[in-house]
Amino acid sequence: MQPHLKLHDGTQFPAFGLGTWKSKPNEVYTAVRVALEAGYIHLDCAAIYQNEDEVGKAIADAIKAGDTSREKIWVTSKLWNDSHEAQHVESALQKTLSDLGLEYLDLYLIHWPVAFKHGVTFPRSREEFLTLEEAPLEKTWEAMAELKAKGLTRQIGVSNMGPERIDLLSGVGETPAVNQVESHPYLPQTELLTYCQSKGIQLTAYSPLGSPDRQTRKSDEPSLLEHPTIKEIAEKHGVGTGDVLIAWALGRGTSVIPKSVTDSRIRSNLKATELKLDADDMGAISNFGKSYRYIDGTFFAGPNSPYTADGIWA
Ligand SMILES: NC(=O)C1=CN([C@@H]2O[C@H](COP(=O)(O)OP(=O)(O)OC[C@H]3O[C@@H](n4cnc5c(N)ncnc54)[C@H](OP(=O)(O)O)[C@@H]3O)[C@@H](O)[C@H]2O)C=CC1
Ligand SMILES: CC(=O)C(C)=O
C-alpha cells in the first residue's frame, strides 16, 4: 500500500505522484504508461505544461490495457494565471478535462497567486498582467468552489501560496485541501508545513530533486542530488540520492511529485516510497543550514510586472 494523507474531509490522498512539467511530447506518453503500469496512482498535471493531451492518451491506453482504472488514480491539474477571472475558470477546467480525456479531476489547484489577461501565456509587458485588485483571488476561489459543486473536480486547492492568502480564501469559502509549493532540504518550508497541518491542509512538495532539467537552471546553483549528506545517507541504505530525497519528503508528512521520463527512475522513485529513513538521517537532512529556491519565479516579478517576488511566493 502506497502512503496516503488524509484531507480535511477524510478523503485519502495518495502521497506520491508523477510530475509532468518539462516532460516533452513523445516522452510524456511513455512516462505515464510506464508509471501506471508500474503502479503509480497519482499524476500531477497542469494546463501550462502543454502536454495534458498526451497524458490523457496515456491514461486512456493504460485503462484499456487493464493497467489501472479511473477510480484507482488521482489526477491533479492547475488553473493557469490567464483564467483567474470567474468567467474563464470553468472553460479552463473543461479544456483540461477534454485534453486529459476525463470527466472529473481529483484535485484542481489555483496555480499561482498572479493573474494575467485572458489568453496571455507568459506576459511580456506590464499591460499583460492583471493586478489582484482587478482579478481578486477570492472571486477565483468562489468559481473553483462551483466546479466542485458541479462534480467537475472532487477537491480544490492552491499552489504557491502562504498563510495570508490561504486565510483570505478560507474566509470566503472552504479551506483549500492542498497547497502545492517548492519544498526540499534547501527549502523545507517548515513554518508553512506547520501552518498547513494546523488547518488540515496537505502540503505537496514540488521540485523535490532540485529540478535539474529546467531551462532556467543556473550554472552555480547547488545540487541536491549531489549533496554529500544525501550521498552518505544513500550509501548507508544502498539506494540512490533521489530515493533519499523522496523518502525525506514523505517522512516529514508531505506528499511529493518527482518528475521523470526515464523508465528506470520512474520505477525506482516509486520503490523509494518504501524506504524509511531513521531519526539521524531525517535530522541530518533537515539541518542543511543553506537556503535555496530553484523556481525563483523571475518570470512573474520585476519592473515589467505589478508583482514583486516577495508578494508572490509562499
Ligand atoms: N505548482 C507549481 O508551481 C510547480 C509544480 N511542479 C510539479 O512538480 C514536479 C516535479 O518538479 P520538477 O521541477 O519537475 O523537478 P524534480 O525535482 O522532480 O526533478 C526532475 C529532474 O530529476 C531527474 N530525476 C528524476 N528522478 C531521479 C532520480 N531518482 N535520480 C536522479 N535524477 C532524477 C529527472 O530526469 P529524467 O526526467 O530525465 O528522468 C529530471 O531531470 C513537476 O514536474 C510538476 O509536476 C514543479 C514546479 C512548479
Ligand atoms: C512548473 C510550474 O508549475 C510553473 C513554472 O508554474
Side-chain angles (χ1 to χ4, degrees):
M1 172 85 167
Q2 286 180 44
H4 283 71
L5 295 166
K6 208 199 258 188
L7 301 182
H8 51 54
D9 68 356
T11 299
Q12 290 291 321
F13 173 48
F16 173 81
L18 180 75
T20 59
W21 177 36
K22 308 173 263 67
S23 301
K24 296 190 190 76
N26 303 320
E27 287 179 348
V28 73
Y29 174 84
T30 309
V32 173
R33 284 300 304 270
V34 168
L36 294 175
E37 182 269 316
Y40 277 59
I41 50 172
H42 175 172
L43 303 173
D44 184 74
C45 312
I48 194 62
Y49 303 162
Q50 298 178 354
N51 57 12
E52 288 190 320
D53 52 348
E54 215 171 290
V55 173
K57 189 169 176 352
I59 294 173
D61 289 351
I63 292 174
K64 240 182 265 160
D67 293 339
T68 192
S69 67
R70 175 64 188 98
E71 296 68 38
K72 273 191 198 151
I73 55 171
W74 180 283
V75 183
T76 297
S77 185
K78 312 183 193 98
L79 176 76
W80 190 236
N81 309 341
D82 72 332
S83 298
H84 277 204
E85 292 164 290
Q87 70 270 27
H88 299 309
V89 172
E90 181 170 340
S91 49
L93 174 57
Q94 292 287 8
K95 168 82 169 84
T96 274
L97 288 174
S98 158
D99 284 348
L100 289 170
L102 302 177
E103 287 179 2
Y104 67 91
L105 287 179
D106 296 278
L107 175 63
Y108 199 41
L109 307 176
I110 299 182
H111 204 144
W112 290 89
V114 169
F116 308 156
K117 285 196 172 147
H118 192 53
V120 173
T121 310
F122 277 98
R124 267 162 289 160
S125 70
R126 200 178 174 89
E127 289 65 47
E128 294 188 316
F129 285 89
L130 293 173
T131 63
L132 292 178
E133 287 71 36
E134 290 168 317
L137 281 173
E138 305 92 291
K139 295 284 173 214
T140 309
W141 190 237
E142 285 168 1
M144 296 280 285
E146 283 174 31
L147 304 179
K148 184 176 168 190
K150 286 183 178 175
L152 297 172
T153 182
R154 298 254 157 108
Q155 304 286 341
I156 53 174
V158 298
S159 176
N160 298 298
M161 292 200 200
E164 213 175 292
R165 297 242 160 83
I166 293 174
D167 285 344
L168 179 75
L169 301 187
S170 306
V172 299
E174 69 176 80
T175 302
V178 167
N179 186 21
Q180 185 179 120
V181 297
E182 178 174 340
S183 175
H184 43 68
Y186 283 133
L187 194 66
Q189 303 270 24
T190 307
E191 276 179 33
L192 183 60
L193 177 59
T194 304
Y195 161 83
C196 285
Q197 286 174 338
S198 77
K199 304 280 176 186
I201 300 168
Q202 295 301 342
L203 191 145
T204 295
Y206 75 60
S207 303
L209 311 178
S211 200
D213 57 340
R214 282 163 19 259
Q215 258 184 0
T216 52
R217 184 175 193 273
K218 297 190 176 74
S219 56
D220 59 349
E221 71 184 27
S223 166
L224 279 168
L225 289 160
E226 296 295 322
H227 192 285
T229 304
I230 303 293
K231 277 184 162 174
E232 205 177 294
I233 295 170
E235 275 162 31
K236 174 176 143 186
H237 291 277
V239 297
T241 50
D243 302 14
V244 172
L245 293 164
I246 291 165
W248 178 80
L250 293 172
R252 62 200 294 268
T254 67
S255 58
V256 65
I257 47 171
K259 170 263 177 185
S260 179
V261 291
T262 309
D263 189 312
S264 58
R265 287 173 175 166
I266 292 170
R267 292 175 195 278
S268 65
N269 289 349
L270 175 61
K271 188 95 183 100
T273 62
E274 294 166 21
L275 174 64
K276 295 278 175 272
L277 301 180
D278 61 34
D280 289 347
D281 301 333
M282 292 298 286
I285 299 172
S286 298
N287 281 310
F288 264 26
K290 179 178 168 72
S291 186
Y292 194 81
R293 190 185 285 277
Y294 293 101
I295 311 300
D296 72 3
T298 39
F299 29 84
F300 303 140
N304 285 328
S305 160
Y307 301 96
T308 63
D310 282 351
I312 295 174
W313 284 275

